[in-house]
Coordinates of all heavy atoms in Angstrom, one line a residue:
A218 N 6.2 -1.9 -68.7 CA 7.5 -2.4 -68.1 C 8.4 -1.2 -67.9 O 8.4 -0.3 -68.7 CB 8.1 -3.4 -69.0
G219 N 9.2 -1.2 -66.9 CA 10.1 -0.2 -66.6 C 11.4 -0.2 -67.4 O 11.7 -1.2 -68.0
K220 N 12.1 0.9 -67.3 CA 13.5 0.9 -67.9 C 14.5 0.3 -67.1 O 14.4 0.2 -65.8 CB 13.8 2.4 -68.2 CG 13.0 3.1 -69.2 CD 13.4 2.8 -70.6 CE 12.7 3.6 -71.6 NZ 13.2 3.5 -72.9
E221 N 15.5 -0.2 -67.7 CA 16.6 -0.9 -66.9 C 17.9 -0.4 -67.5 O 18.1 -0.3 -68.7 CB 16.5 -2.4 -67.2 CG 17.5 -3.2 -66.4 CD 17.1 -4.7 -66.5 OE1 16.1 -5.1 -65.9 OE2 17.9 -5.4 -67.1
K222 N 18.9 -0.1 -66.6 CA 20.2 0.4 -67.0 C 20.9 -0.8 -67.7 O 20.8 -1.9 -67.3 CB 21.1 0.8 -65.8 CG 20.7 2.2 -65.4 CD 21.4 3.2 -66.3 CE 21.4 4.6 -65.8 NZ 21.6 5.6 -66.8
T223 N 21.7 -0.5 -68.7 CA 22.3 -1.6 -69.5 C 23.9 -1.4 -69.6 O 24.5 -2.3 -70.1 CB 21.8 -1.7 -70.9 OG1 22.1 -0.4 -71.5 CG2 20.3 -2.0 -70.9
D224 N 24.4 -0.3 -69.2 CA 25.8 0.0 -69.4 C 26.7 -1.1 -68.9 O 27.6 -1.5 -69.6 CB 26.2 1.3 -68.7 CG 25.3 2.5 -69.1 OD1 24.2 2.6 -68.5 OD2 25.7 3.2 -70.0
D225 N 26.5 -1.6 -67.7 CA 27.4 -2.6 -67.1 C 26.8 -4.0 -67.2 O 27.5 -5.0 -67.0 CB 27.8 -2.3 -65.7 CG 28.5 -0.9 -65.7 OD1 29.4 -0.7 -66.6 OD2 28.3 -0.2 -64.8
A226 N 25.5 -4.1 -67.3 CA 24.8 -5.4 -67.2 C 25.1 -6.3 -68.3 O 25.3 -7.5 -68.1 CB 23.3 -5.2 -67.0
L227 N 25.0 -5.8 -69.6 CA 25.2 -6.7 -70.8 C 26.6 -6.6 -71.2 O 27.1 -5.5 -71.4 CB 24.2 -6.3 -71.8 CG 22.7 -6.3 -71.4 CD1 21.8 -5.7 -72.6 CD2 22.3 -7.8 -71.2
K228 N 27.2 -7.7 -71.5 CA 28.5 -7.8 -72.1 C 28.5 -8.0 -73.6 O 28.7 -9.0 -74.1 CB 29.3 -8.9 -71.4 CG 29.4 -8.8 -69.9 CD 30.1 -7.5 -69.4 CE 30.1 -7.5 -67.9 NZ 30.3 -6.2 -67.4
L229 N 28.2 -6.8 -74.3 CA 28.1 -6.8 -75.8 C 29.3 -6.4 -76.4 O 30.1 -5.6 -75.8 CB 26.9 -5.9 -76.2 CG 25.5 -6.4 -75.9 CD1 24.5 -5.2 -76.1 CD2 25.1 -7.6 -76.8
A230 N 29.6 -6.9 -77.6 CA 30.7 -6.4 -78.4 C 30.5 -4.9 -78.6 O 29.3 -4.4 -78.7 CB 30.8 -7.1 -79.7
P231 N 31.5 -4.1 -78.9 CA 31.4 -2.7 -79.1 C 30.4 -2.3 -80.2 O 29.6 -1.3 -80.0 CB 32.8 -2.2 -79.4 CG 33.7 -3.2 -78.7 CD 33.0 -4.5 -78.8
A232 N 30.4 -3.0 -81.3 CA 29.5 -2.7 -82.4 C 28.1 -2.9 -81.9 O 27.2 -2.1 -82.3 CB 29.8 -3.6 -83.6
A233 N 27.8 -3.9 -81.1 CA 26.4 -4.1 -80.6 C 26.1 -3.1 -79.6 O 25.0 -2.5 -79.6 CB 26.3 -5.5 -80.1
A234 N 27.0 -2.8 -78.7 CA 26.7 -1.8 -77.6 C 26.4 -0.4 -78.2 O 25.6 0.4 -77.6 CB 27.9 -1.8 -76.6
A235 N 27.0 -0.1 -79.4 CA 26.8 1.2 -80.0 C 25.3 1.4 -80.5 O 24.8 2.5 -80.6 CB 27.7 1.3 -81.2
L236 N 24.6 0.3 -80.6 CA 23.2 0.3 -81.0 C 22.3 0.8 -79.8 O 21.2 1.2 -80.0 CB 22.7 -1.0 -81.5 CG 23.3 -1.5 -82.8 CD1 22.9 -3.0 -83.0 CD2 22.9 -0.7 -84.0
L237 N 22.8 0.6 -78.6 CA 22.0 0.9 -77.4 C 22.2 2.4 -77.1 O 23.0 2.7 -76.2 CB 22.4 0.0 -76.3 CG 22.4 -1.5 -76.6 CD1 22.8 -2.3 -75.4 CD2 21.0 -1.9 -77.1
T238 N 21.4 3.2 -77.7 CA 21.6 4.7 -77.4 C 20.8 5.2 -76.3 O 20.9 6.3 -75.9 CB 21.2 5.5 -78.7 OG1 19.8 5.1 -79.0 CG2 22.1 5.1 -79.9
R239 N 20.0 4.3 -75.7 CA 19.2 4.7 -74.5 C 19.0 3.5 -73.6 O 19.3 2.4 -74.0 CB 17.8 5.3 -74.9 CG 17.0 4.3 -75.7 CD 15.6 4.9 -76.0 NE 14.7 3.9 -76.3 CZ 14.3 3.6 -77.6 NH1 14.7 4.4 -78.5 NH2 13.5 2.7 -77.9
D240 N 18.5 3.7 -72.4 CA 18.3 2.5 -71.5 C 17.2 1.6 -72.2 O 16.4 2.0 -72.9 CB 17.7 3.0 -70.2 CG 18.7 3.8 -69.4 OD1 19.9 3.6 -69.7 OD2 18.3 4.5 -68.4
L241 N 17.4 0.3 -71.9 CA 16.5 -0.7 -72.5 C 15.3 -0.9 -71.6 O 15.4 -0.7 -70.4 CB 17.2 -2.0 -72.6 CG 18.4 -2.1 -73.6 CD1 19.0 -3.5 -73.5 CD2 18.0 -1.8 -75.0
Y242 N 14.2 -1.3 -72.2 CA 13.1 -1.8 -71.4 C 13.5 -3.1 -70.8 O 14.4 -3.8 -71.3 CB 11.8 -1.9 -72.2 CG 11.2 -0.6 -72.6 CD1 11.3 -0.1 -73.9 CD2 10.5 0.1 -71.7 CE1 10.8 1.1 -74.3 CE2 9.9 1.3 -72.1 CZ 10.1 1.8 -73.4 OH 9.5 3.0 -73.7
E243 N 12.8 -3.5 -69.7 CA 13.2 -4.7 -69.0 C 13.1 -5.9 -69.9 O 14.0 -6.8 -69.9 CB 12.2 -4.9 -67.8 CG 12.5 -6.1 -67.0 CD 11.6 -6.3 -65.8 OE1 10.9 -5.4 -65.5 OE2 11.7 -7.3 -65.1
H244 N 12.1 -6.0 -70.8 CA 12.0 -7.2 -71.7 C 13.1 -7.2 -72.7 O 13.5 -8.3 -73.1 CB 10.6 -7.3 -72.4 CG 10.4 -6.2 -73.4 ND1 9.9 -4.9 -73.1 CD2 10.5 -6.2 -74.8 CE1 9.8 -4.3 -74.2 NE2 10.2 -5.0 -75.2
Q245 N 13.6 -6.0 -73.1 CA 14.7 -6.0 -74.1 C 16.0 -6.5 -73.4 O 16.7 -7.3 -74.0 CB 14.9 -4.6 -74.6 CG 13.8 -4.1 -75.5 CD 14.0 -2.6 -75.8 OE1 14.2 -1.8 -74.9 NE2 14.0 -2.3 -77.1
A246 N 16.3 -6.1 -72.2 CA 17.5 -6.5 -71.5 C 17.4 -8.0 -71.2 O 18.4 -8.7 -71.4 CB 17.6 -5.7 -70.2
K247 N 16.3 -8.5 -70.8 CA 16.1 -9.9 -70.6 C 16.3 -10.8 -71.8 O 17.0 -11.8 -71.8 CB 14.8 -10.3 -69.9 CG 14.7 -9.8 -68.5 CD 13.3 -10.1 -67.9 CE 13.3 -9.7 -66.4 NZ 11.9 -10.1 -65.9
A248 N 15.8 -10.3 -72.9 CA 15.9 -11.0 -74.2 C 17.4 -11.0 -74.7 O 17.9 -12.0 -75.1 CB 15.0 -10.4 -75.2
I249 N 18.0 -9.8 -74.6 CA 19.4 -9.8 -75.1 C 20.3 -10.6 -74.2 O 21.1 -11.4 -74.7 CB 19.9 -8.3 -75.1 CG1 19.1 -7.5 -76.2 CG2 21.4 -8.2 -75.3 CD1 19.4 -6.1 -76.2
Q250 N 20.0 -10.6 -72.9 CA 20.9 -11.4 -72.0 C 20.6 -12.9 -72.3 O 21.6 -13.7 -72.3 CB 20.5 -11.2 -70.5 CG 21.5 -11.9 -69.6 CD 22.9 -11.5 -69.8 OE1 23.3 -10.4 -69.7 NE2 23.8 -12.5 -70.1
A251 N 19.4 -13.3 -72.6 CA 19.1 -14.7 -72.9 C 19.8 -15.1 -74.1 O 20.4 -16.2 -74.2 CB 17.6 -14.9 -73.1
G252 N 19.8 -14.2 -75.1 CA 20.6 -14.5 -76.3 C 22.1 -14.6 -76.1 O 22.7 -15.5 -76.7
L253 N 22.6 -13.8 -75.3 CA 24.0 -13.8 -74.9 C 24.4 -15.1 -74.2 O 25.5 -15.6 -74.3 CB 24.5 -12.6 -74.1 CG 24.4 -11.3 -74.8 CD1 24.7 -10.1 -73.8 CD2 25.5 -11.2 -76.0
D254 N 23.4 -15.6 -73.5 CA 23.6 -16.9 -72.7 C 23.4 -18.1 -73.6 O 23.5 -19.2 -73.1 CB 22.6 -16.9 -71.6 CG 22.9 -15.9 -70.5 OD1 24.0 -15.4 -70.4 OD2 22.0 -15.6 -69.7
G255 N 23.1 -17.9 -74.9 CA 23.0 -19.0 -75.9 C 21.6 -19.6 -75.9 O 21.4 -20.7 -76.4
K256 N 20.6 -19.0 -75.3 CA 19.3 -19.5 -75.2 C 18.5 -19.2 -76.5 O 18.7 -18.1 -77.1 CB 18.5 -19.0 -74.0 CG 19.1 -19.5 -72.8 CD 18.3 -18.9 -71.6 CE 19.0 -19.4 -70.3 NZ 18.4 -18.7 -69.1
D257 N 17.7 -20.1 -77.0 CA 16.7 -19.8 -78.0 C 15.6 -18.9 -77.5 O 15.2 -19.1 -76.3 CB 16.1 -21.0 -78.6 CG 17.2 -21.9 -79.3 OD1 18.1 -21.4 -79.8 OD2 17.0 -23.2 -79.3
L258 N 15.1 -18.0 -78.2 CA 14.1 -17.1 -77.6 C 13.1 -16.7 -78.7 O 13.4 -16.6 -79.9 CB 14.6 -15.9 -76.9 CG 15.7 -15.1 -77.7 CD1 15.2 -13.6 -77.7 CD2 17.0 -15.2 -77.0
I259 N 11.9 -16.4 -78.3 CA 10.8 -15.8 -79.0 C 10.4 -14.5 -78.2 O 10.2 -14.6 -77.1 CB 9.6 -16.7 -79.2 CG1 10.1 -17.9 -80.1 CG2 8.5 -16.0 -79.8 CD1 9.0 -19.0 -80.2
I260 N 10.3 -13.4 -79.0 CA 9.9 -12.2 -78.3 C 8.5 -11.8 -78.9 O 8.4 -11.5 -80.0 CB 10.9 -11.1 -78.6 CG1 12.3 -11.4 -78.2 CG2 10.4 -9.8 -77.9 CD1 13.4 -10.6 -78.6
A261 N 7.5 -11.8 -78.0 CA 6.2 -11.6 -78.4 C 5.7 -10.4 -77.6 O 5.2 -10.6 -76.4 CB 5.3 -12.8 -78.2
T262 N 5.8 -9.2 -78.1 CA 5.3 -8.0 -77.4 C 4.6 -7.1 -78.4 O 4.6 -7.4 -79.6 CB 6.5 -7.2 -76.8 OG1 7.4 -6.8 -77.8 CG2 7.2 -8.1 -75.8
A263 N 4.0 -6.1 -77.9 CA 3.3 -5.1 -78.7 C 4.1 -4.5 -79.8 O 5.3 -4.4 -79.7 CB 2.6 -4.1 -77.8
T264 N 3.4 -4.0 -80.8 CA 4.0 -3.2 -81.9 C 4.7 -2.1 -81.3 O 4.3 -1.4 -80.3 CB 2.9 -2.7 -82.9 OG1 2.3 -3.9 -83.4 CG2 3.5 -1.9 -84.0
A265 N 5.9 -1.8 -81.8 CA 6.7 -0.6 -81.4 C 7.2 -0.7 -80.0 O 7.5 0.3 -79.3 CB 6.0 0.7 -81.6
S266 N 7.4 -2.0 -79.5 CA 7.9 -2.2 -78.1 C 9.4 -2.4 -78.1 O 10.0 -2.7 -77.0 CB 7.2 -3.3 -77.5 OG 7.4 -4.5 -78.2
G267 N 10.1 -2.4 -79.3 CA 11.5 -2.6 -79.3 C 12.1 -4.0 -79.6 O 13.2 -4.3 -79.2
K268 N 11.2 -4.8 -80.2 CA 11.7 -6.2 -80.5 C 12.9 -6.2 -81.4 O 13.9 -6.9 -81.3 CB 10.6 -7.0 -81.1 CG 9.4 -7.3 -80.2 CD 8.3 -8.1 -80.9 CE 7.6 -7.3 -81.9 NZ 6.7 -6.3 -81.4
S269 N 12.9 -5.3 -82.4 CA 13.9 -5.2 -83.4 C 15.3 -5.0 -82.8 O 16.2 -5.5 -83.3 CB 13.6 -4.1 -84.5 OG 12.4 -4.5 -85.2
L270 N 15.3 -4.1 -81.9 CA 16.6 -3.8 -81.2 C 17.2 -5.0 -80.6 O 18.4 -5.2 -80.6 CB 16.4 -2.7 -80.1 CG 17.7 -2.2 -79.5 CD1 18.7 -1.7 -80.5 CD2 17.4 -1.2 -78.4
C271 N 16.4 -5.9 -80.1 CA 16.9 -7.2 -79.4 C 17.6 -8.0 -80.5 O 18.8 -8.4 -80.2 CB 15.7 -8.0 -78.9 SG 14.8 -7.1 -77.6
Y272 N 17.1 -8.3 -81.6 CA 17.7 -9.1 -82.6 C 18.9 -8.3 -83.3 O 20.0 -8.9 -83.6 CB 16.8 -9.7 -83.7 CG 16.4 -8.8 -84.8 CD1 17.3 -8.6 -85.8 CD2 15.1 -8.2 -84.8 CE1 16.9 -7.8 -86.9 CE2 14.8 -7.4 -85.9 CZ 15.6 -7.1 -86.9 OH 15.2 -6.4 -87.9
Q273 N 18.7 -7.0 -83.4 CA 19.8 -6.3 -84.0 C 21.1 -6.2 -83.1 O 22.2 -6.4 -83.6 CB 19.4 -4.8 -84.4 CG 18.4 -4.8 -85.5 CD 17.6 -3.5 -85.5 OE1 17.7 -2.6 -84.6 NE2 16.8 -3.3 -86.6
A274 N 20.9 -6.1 -81.9 CA 22.0 -6.1 -81.0 C 22.7 -7.4 -80.9 O 23.9 -7.5 -80.9 CB 21.5 -5.6 -79.5
L275 N 21.9 -8.5 -80.9 CA 22.5 -9.8 -80.8 C 23.1 -10.1 -82.1 O 24.3 -10.8 -82.1 CB 21.4 -10.8 -80.5 CG 20.9 -10.8 -79.0 CD1 19.6 -11.6 -78.9 CD2 22.0 -11.3 -78.1
A276 N 22.6 -9.8 -83.2 CA 23.2 -10.1 -84.5 C 24.6 -9.3 -84.6 O 25.6 -9.9 -85.0 CB 22.3 -9.7 -85.7
A277 N 24.5 -8.0 -84.2 CA 25.8 -7.2 -84.3 C 26.9 -7.8 -83.4 O 28.0 -7.9 -83.7 CB 25.5 -5.8 -83.9
H278 N 26.4 -8.3 -82.2 CA 27.3 -9.0 -81.3 C 28.0 -10.2 -81.9 O 29.2 -10.3 -81.9 CB 26.6 -9.3 -80.0 CG 27.5 -10.1 -79.0 ND1 28.4 -9.4 -78.2 CD2 27.5 -11.4 -78.7 CE1 29.0 -10.3 -77.5 NE2 28.5 -11.5 -77.8
H279 N 27.2 -11.1 -82.4 CA 27.7 -12.3 -83.0 C 28.5 -12.0 -84.3 O 29.5 -12.7 -84.5 CB 26.6 -13.3 -83.3 CG 26.0 -13.8 -82.0 ND1 26.7 -14.6 -81.1 CD2 24.8 -13.6 -81.4 CE1 25.9 -14.9 -80.1 NE2 24.8 -14.3 -80.2
L280 N 28.1 -11.1 -85.1 CA 28.8 -10.8 -86.3 C 30.1 -10.1 -86.1 O 30.9 -9.9 -87.0 CB 27.9 -10.0 -87.3 CG 26.7 -10.8 -87.8 CD1 25.8 -10.0 -88.6 CD2 27.2 -12.1 -88.6
S281 N 30.4 -9.5 -84.9 CA 31.6 -8.9 -84.6 C 32.7 -9.9 -84.5 O 33.9 -9.6 -84.5 CB 31.5 -8.1 -83.3 OG 31.3 -8.9 -82.2
D282 N 32.4 -11.2 -84.3 CA 33.4 -12.3 -84.3 C 33.5 -12.8 -85.7 O 32.6 -13.0 -86.4 CB 32.8 -13.4 -83.4 CG 33.7 -14.7 -83.4 OD1 34.6 -14.8 -84.2 OD2 33.4 -15.5 -82.5
P283 N 34.8 -12.8 -86.2 CA 35.0 -13.2 -87.6 C 34.3 -14.6 -88.0 O 34.0 -14.8 -89.1 CB 36.5 -13.3 -87.7 CG 37.0 -12.4 -86.7 CD 36.0 -12.5 -85.5
K284 N 34.1 -15.4 -87.0 CA 33.5 -16.7 -87.3 C 32.0 -16.7 -86.8 O 31.3 -17.7 -86.9 CB 34.2 -17.8 -86.5 CG 35.6 -18.1 -87.0 CD 36.3 -19.2 -86.3 CE 37.7 -19.4 -86.9 NZ 38.4 -20.5 -86.2
G285 N 31.5 -15.6 -86.4 CA 30.1 -15.5 -86.0 C 29.1 -15.5 -87.1 O 29.4 -15.2 -88.3
T286 N 27.9 -15.9 -86.8 CA 26.9 -16.0 -87.8 C 25.6 -15.5 -87.1 O 25.4 -15.5 -85.9 CB 26.6 -17.4 -88.3 OG1 26.3 -18.2 -87.2 CG2 27.8 -18.0 -89.0
A287 N 24.6 -15.1 -88.0 CA 23.3 -14.7 -87.5 C 22.3 -15.0 -88.6 O 22.6 -14.9 -89.8 CB 23.3 -13.2 -87.2
L288 N 21.2 -15.4 -88.1 CA 20.1 -15.7 -89.1 C 18.8 -15.1 -88.5 O 18.5 -15.4 -87.3 CB 19.8 -17.3 -89.2 CG 18.6 -17.7 -90.0 CD1 18.8 -17.3 -91.5 CD2 18.5 -19.2 -89.9
Y289 N 18.1 -14.3 -89.3 CA 16.9 -13.7 -88.9 C 15.8 -14.0 -89.8 O 16.0 -13.8 -91.1 CB 17.1 -12.2 -88.7 CG 15.8 -11.4 -88.4 CD1 15.2 -11.6 -87.2 CD2 15.1 -10.6 -89.4 CE1 14.0 -10.9 -86.9 CE2 14.0 -10.0 -89.1 CZ 13.4 -10.1 -87.8 OH 12.2 -9.5 -87.5
L290 N 14.7 -14.6 -89.4 CA 13.6 -14.9 -90.2 C 12.4 -14.1 -89.8 O 12.1 -14.0 -88.6 CB 13.2 -16.4 -90.1 CG 14.4 -17.4 -90.5 CD1 13.9 -18.8 -90.2 CD2 14.7 -17.2 -91.9
A291 N 11.7 -13.5 -90.7 CA 10.5 -12.7 -90.3 C 9.5 -12.8 -91.4 O 9.7 -12.9 -92.6 CB 10.9 -11.2 -90.2
R292 N 8.2 -12.8 -91.0 CA 7.1 -12.8 -91.9 C 7.0 -11.3 -92.5 O 7.1 -10.4 -91.8 CB 5.8 -13.1 -91.2 CG 4.7 -13.2 -92.0 CD 3.5 -13.6 -91.2 NE 2.3 -13.4 -92.0 CZ 1.4 -14.4 -92.1 NH1 1.5 -15.5 -91.4 NH2 0.3 -14.2 -92.9
L293 N 6.8 -11.2 -93.8 CA 6.8 -9.9 -94.4 C 5.5 -9.2 -94.4 O 5.4 -8.0 -94.6 CB 7.3 -10.0 -95.9 CG 8.8 -10.5 -96.0 CD1 9.1 -10.7 -97.5 CD2 9.7 -9.5 -95.4
S294 N 4.4 -9.9 -94.2 CA 3.1 -9.3 -94.2 C 2.2 -9.9 -93.1 O 2.2 -11.1 -92.9 CB 2.5 -9.6 -95.6 OG 1.1 -9.1 -95.6
H295 N 1.4 -9.0 -92.6 CA 0.4 -9.5 -91.6 C -1.0 -9.3 -92.2 O -2.0 -9.0 -91.5 CB 0.5 -8.7 -90.3 CG 1.8 -8.9 -89.6 ND1 2.0 -10.1 -88.9 CD2 3.0 -8.3 -89.5 CE1 3.2 -10.1 -88.3 NE2 3.8 -9.0 -88.7
S296 N -1.1 -9.3 -93.5 CA -2.4 -9.0 -94.2 C -3.4 -10.1 -94.1 O -4.6 -9.9 -94.5 CB -2.1 -8.7 -95.7 OG -1.6 -9.9 -96.3
G297 N -3.1 -11.2 -93.5 CA -4.1 -12.3 -93.3 C -4.1 -13.2 -94.5 O -4.8 -14.2 -94.5
H298 N -3.3 -12.9 -95.6 CA -3.3 -13.8 -96.7 C -2.2 -14.8 -96.5 O -1.1 -14.5 -96.1 CB -3.0 -13.0 -98.0 CG -4.1 -12.0 -98.3 ND1 -4.3 -10.9 -97.6 CD2 -5.0 -12.0 -99.3 CE1 -5.3 -10.2 -98.1 NE2 -5.8 -10.9 -99.1
A299 N -2.5 -16.1 -96.9 CA -1.5 -17.1 -96.7 C -0.5 -17.2 -97.8 O -0.6 -16.6 -98.8 CB -2.2 -18.5 -96.7

């Protein structure tokens, strides 16, 4: 996937925008925009493709509002053990 400019496209709170130190990949920009639009989302991409930045930017955006909340759930191990 190609890179996409984000400076003017995403309307993030300053704390969230500060996390974006380089151009986003297309899937990151789309995921962040979907989150800003209030949509539920699942990001399923390869390891080291930037999934974490998507939730971090959205969490920082929502937590910049005094009434904002964020919940992140993640599996801690992929070892195959239940």
Side-chain angles (χ1 to χ4, degrees):
K220 294 280 192 170
E221 183 170 295
K222 280 284 192 193
T223 60
D224 304 86
D225 299 321
L227 299 173
K228 302 300 181 200
L229 289 167
L236 294 171
L237 307 180
T238 59
R239 61 175 196 256
D240 291 342
L241 296 176
Y242 287 105
E243 184 177 351
H244 71 277
Q245 291 172 310
K247 287 180 179 181
I249 292 170
Q250 187 59 58
L253 292 173
D254 291 342
K256 296 179 182 174
D257 295 328
L258 51 128
I259 295 173
I260 304 167
T262 60
T264 300
S266 64
K268 294 179 290 290
S269 296
L270 182 60
C271 298
Y272 81 77
Q273 291 164 348
L275 288 167
H278 175 78
H279 290 293
L280 293 174
S281 68
D282 178 342
K284 294 182 180 183
T286 60
L288 173 66
Y289 175 70
L290 302 173
R292 184 179 171 131
L293 297 177
S294 172
H295 294 283
S296 63
H298 295 74

